[in-house]
Amino acid sequence: MKKRMLILEDGTIFEGIAFGSDTASIGETVFTTGMTGYQETISNPSGCGQIIVMTYPLIGNYGINRDDYESIELTASGIVVRELSDEPSNFRSGMTLCELLTLKGIPGIQEIDTRKLTRVLREKGPLKGMLTAVNEEVDSQEKIAQLQSYILPTDLVARVSTKKPYPSPGRGERVVLIDYGMKHGILRELNKRDCDVIVVPYTTSTKEILALFPDGIVLSSGPGNPEDVEGAVETIKELVGKAPIFGIGLGHQLFALACGARTLKLKNGHYGGNYPVKDLTSGRTELTVQCHGYAVDEASIEGTGLEVTHKALNDGIVEGVRSTVYDAFSVQFHPEGSPGPEDSNHLFDRFTDLMKTSNREENINA
């Protein structure tokens, strides 16, 4: 078995056993708390460029199947686990996690103390990390210096967004879904409601979007800092009021920026399932799936025409907003689940109801 190191920018080094691809990689190291759903987690485009640490100790025990992908291509920079299962047991399993990572060119490391690693990340926040082979001839300090000088990429949305529009036909309301790094779960939920969906690249102009005559517009989830998504805020500003809007994840942050609010980077992002969120309108608490390192700054919302609709019960951050003027709302969490709780699945019903009651022609001509 080949040895591999995980080196963090603060100088912390973990040595373990390599699995997956033999390539070295650098990425932002974050931890996720999900006990299951590793296939959805590693195929979520929001994890683009990240080295994902699985806090649950045994990963890979039910293998990889054809149904649970959240994107066609995997864009994570690496996977870290305590123990990897080499012999999955599940009737749906088609390959092992190791085989998938090898196929997709993603390195993994196992047999390290993921509890200690998680404590480091909890204390210091996400850190740049490097997965590399153990080489006695290479000074680790050189690797640390290389890592510290490395600048994390800011073009993550460009890497994961579709390059061309494509349809997912239905006979119901026409939805234009702007792809900032869309999970397939979002598309599945819209298809369940018979929406006629057209997925478009994040660079699509307002004119091109309105030419599709949308009954509603979805701003998808995606990776990275919302302020790095070139042109997105300007486009959303022009779309607000033209058709009902539903923002999810990164789409929520971009919607808030377009309305004049600000975003901030969290010391500890939210990655995993079972995050409790309170719906301030109904008083209901729902368990949610989350994957984000940025959030909307509540102090910046006043005067934007937005009101807070959801808040996280763990740390009090803003988890949802709605426009008090237009048919538009957004949430930071993932109402589609995939994996995890589907308590907030009803938000897709709310969006379809908005599309049915809104007058599209008057909005577009406004």
Side-chain angles (χ1 to χ4, degrees), residues 263-311:
T263 56
L264 49 81
K265 185 172 177 61
L266 301 173
K267 178 184 177 183
N268 292 299
H270 295 180
Y271 302 95
N274 295 332
Y275 281 90
V277 169
K278 186 170 184 178
D279 184 334
L280 302 182
T281 304
S282 67
R284 171 185 166 100
T285 295
E286 299 173 341
L287 296 180
T288 67
V289 179
Q290 306 203 14
C291 184
H292 63 102
Y294 291 81
V296 175
D297 182 359
E298 185 172 8
S300 69
I301 289 179
E302 186 176 356
T304 62
L306 298 175
E307 68 175 11
V308 178
T309 58
H310 296 76
K311 296 193 77 171

Side-chain angles (χ1 to χ4, degrees), residues 207-365:
K207 184 177 181 180
E208 292 172 309
I209 291 171
L210 295 180
L212 296 171
F213 300 100
D215 296 310
I217 298 166
V218 171
L219 313 175
S220 87
S221 53
N225 184 345
E227 295 183 357
D228 291 334
V229 189
E230 186 176 353
V233 171
E234 290 73 19
T235 299
I236 296 169
K237 281 181 181 179
E238 295 169 351
L239 290 172
V240 170
K242 301 297 185 182
I245 289 178
F246 181 19
I248 299 172
L250 180 65
H252 156 77
Q253 297 164 12
L254 291 169
F255 172 63
L257 288 174
C259 292
R262 298 186 301 271
T263 56
L264 49 81
K265 185 172 177 61
L266 301 173
K267 178 184 177 183
N268 292 299
H270 295 180
Y271 302 95
N274 295 332
Y275 281 90
V277 169
K278 186 170 184 178
D279 184 334
L280 302 182
T281 304
S282 67
R284 171 185 166 100
T285 295
E286 299 173 341
L287 296 180
T288 67
V289 179
Q290 306 203 14
C291 184
H292 63 102
Y294 291 81
V296 175
D297 182 359
E298 185 172 8
S300 69
I301 289 179
E302 186 176 356
T304 62
L306 298 175
E307 68 175 11
V308 178
T309 58
H310 296 76
K311 296 193 77 171
L313 293 183
N314 286 347
D315 55 13
I317 73 162
V318 173
E319 291 284 351
V321 297
R322 75 171 186 91
S323 172
T324 59
V325 180
Y326 303 107
D327 290 333
F329 68 100
S330 63
V331 291
Q332 180 63 77
F333 49 89
H334 292 268
E336 74 280 1
S338 302
E342 298 179 355
D343 295 15
S344 304
N345 199 259
H346 60 88
L347 292 174
F348 288 98
D349 295 322
R350 177 183 169 189
F351 177 58
T352 54
D353 288 343
L354 273 181
M355 289 191 289
K356 291 174 182 176
T357 58
S358 178
N359 189 314
R360 176 180 54 79
E361 291 186 3
E362 285 186 7
N363 288 333
I364 290 178
N365 295 325

Side-chain angles (χ1 to χ4, degrees), residues 127-144:
L127 297 172
K128 287 182 287 186
M130 175 189 295
L131 287 171
T132 184
V134 174
N135 188 339
E136 305 294 344
E137 299 178 359
V138 178
D139 185 1
S140 296
Q141 294 303 314
E142 293 182 16
K143 295 285 188 182
I144 294 171

Side-chain angles (χ1 to χ4, degrees), residues 56-98:
Y56 191 71
L58 176 63
I59 298 295
N61 54 308
Y62 55 86
I64 298 294
N65 65 73
R66 71 173 195 174
D67 300 319
D68 291 343
Y69 289 101
E70 287 303 312
S71 64
I72 296 174
E73 294 298 332
L74 275 58
T75 54
S77 292
I79 307 297
V80 181
V81 304
R82 174 67 185 91
E83 180 183 351
L84 177 71
S85 175
D86 292 325
E87 298 182 0
S89 177
N90 187 281
F91 72 96
R92 294 197 302 159
S93 178
M95 68 174 71
T96 67
L97 175 58
C98 181

